[in-house]
Each structure stands twice: as C-alpha cells, then as structure tokens.
Amino acid sequence: MASRPQLERKYSREYYREYFLNADADHDGYLSFHELFDVLKRAGYKDNETKLKVHFEKYDTSGDNRLSLSEFLNAMDVVPENDQKAAMMRKCFQNHDENKDGKIDRNELDQIYLEMGKVMHPADLDRIMKSVDKDGTGALDYEEFIALMFPDK
C-alpha cells in the first residue's frame, strides 16, 4: 500500500479565534461578509458567494451584517469535519502545485512528503505516482491527489 502523508487536525476554538483575528482585515473586531468570503476562498473553500451569504446571515444573530468572534465560533462549531478536511486538502494541493497547472507532479509530491518529515525513495515515489495517476498524465489532478490522501474513499 502506498504511504500517504498524515495531516494534523487544526480545528480547535483557539485555531478559529486566530483565524478570525487574521481575517479581520480592518481590525474592528468583526468580520464583514467580504472579509469572510475572501479569507475562506484563500483557505480553499469552494462554496459560491450566494451559498456563503446564506450561512453568513444565519449566524449573524445580531442582524448587524457582520460576525462577531462569538458568532463566528458558533458557525465554525457546526461545519462538518469532512468539509474542513476537504478545504485543508484543497489548500494543500494549491500550495504545492508550484507551477499552478492544476496538477501535482512527482517533484511536488516529493516536497509534500519532505514537509511531512518523510524522505521517499525515488522508486517509491514512482510506484505511488503510477498507482494513483489513473489518467496516465504523469501528474496527479485534484481527484487523484484526494485518492492518495484518502484511499478508502
């Protein structure tokens, strides 16, 4: 079986508190819809603006068109773990797709393993690429990358 990088879980209230503070571009202690939309897109979330607006309005319990830290944390408490993992995987994929061609090549995959503290033998990398690269392009598209990270799906 191909070895796969292990991803650390980061979904604590403290993590989201820091996330909120970093997303608060104007440092007013609240997130506007656009601040939230921008930071989530950069983090790899794929929902469209309309869907996100519905969620934003649902958790803006004060009705002031902005989210307080408390409202934001309440919203993050109900985000399914699989959605969080999927967003983390998209971000990982985007970060390691160095040439931005929408694929992870062998060298980019090697870099992922190195960052996870695992030195891969070139023959092992070749075997992994061959076993997961179903379309034979010599690189992994996003779906193939997910198959490597989550082989049980």
Side-chain angles (χ1 to χ4, degrees):
M1 185 77 190
S3 177
R4 60 187 174 107
Q6 296 298 308
L7 297 173
E8 160 187 337
R9 184 175 173 167
K10 303 187 211 183
Y11 325 125
S12 68
R13 285 182 77 80
E14 181 60 28
Y15 170 78
Y16 284 123
R17 189 182 78 72
E18 290 298 319
Y19 195 90
F20 177 92
L21 295 173
N22 289 329
D24 182 13
D26 61 7
H27 308 290
D28 66 353
Y30 296 90
L31 292 184
S32 69
F33 174 75
H34 292 292
E35 286 173 323
L36 181 63
F37 184 71
D38 290 345
V39 76
L40 288 177
K41 286 297 182 182
R42 285 194 307 272
Y45 284 89
K46 290 173 71 173
D47 283 345
N48 64 40
E49 192 169 341
T50 303
K51 185 174 179 183
L52 191 58
K53 185 72 170 167
V54 169
H55 292 293
F56 182 89
E57 290 170 355
K58 177 179 178 181
Y59 290 100
D60 176 20
T61 56
S62 63
D64 60 0
N65 292 316
R66 56 191 189 163
L67 295 180
S68 66
L69 175 59
S70 176
E71 290 169 329
F72 178 76
L73 291 175
N74 288 338
M76 292 298 98
D77 283 344
V78 299
V79 173
E81 186 174 333
N82 285 343
D83 289 353
Q84 294 175 12
K85 284 181 181 179
M88 187 188 319
M89 294 309 303
R90 276 191 296 280
K91 187 67 174 171
C92 178
F93 184 90
Q94 291 167 351
N95 287 344
H96 289 89
D97 179 13
E98 293 175 11
N99 60 2
K100 305 300 179 207
D101 65 352
K103 302 232 178 221
I104 298 290
D105 64 27
R106 187 183 172 284
N107 292 332
E108 292 165 337
L109 183 62
D110 189 30
Q111 186 61 39
I112 292 170
Y113 279 106
L114 286 173
E115 288 178 17
M116 300 282 185
K118 186 163 178 93
V119 177
M120 299 295 288
H121 188 277
D124 291 333
L125 279 172
D126 290 340
R127 269 193 298 281
I128 291 168
M129 290 297 292
K130 186 175 181 177
S131 71
V132 181
D133 178 23
K134 299 300 181 193
D135 60 8
T137 62
L140 305 181
D141 62 26
Y142 179 72
E143 295 304 318
E144 292 167 334
F145 179 72
I146 292 301
L148 172 62
M149 297 296 125
F150 301 104
D152 298 330
K153 292 218 173 217

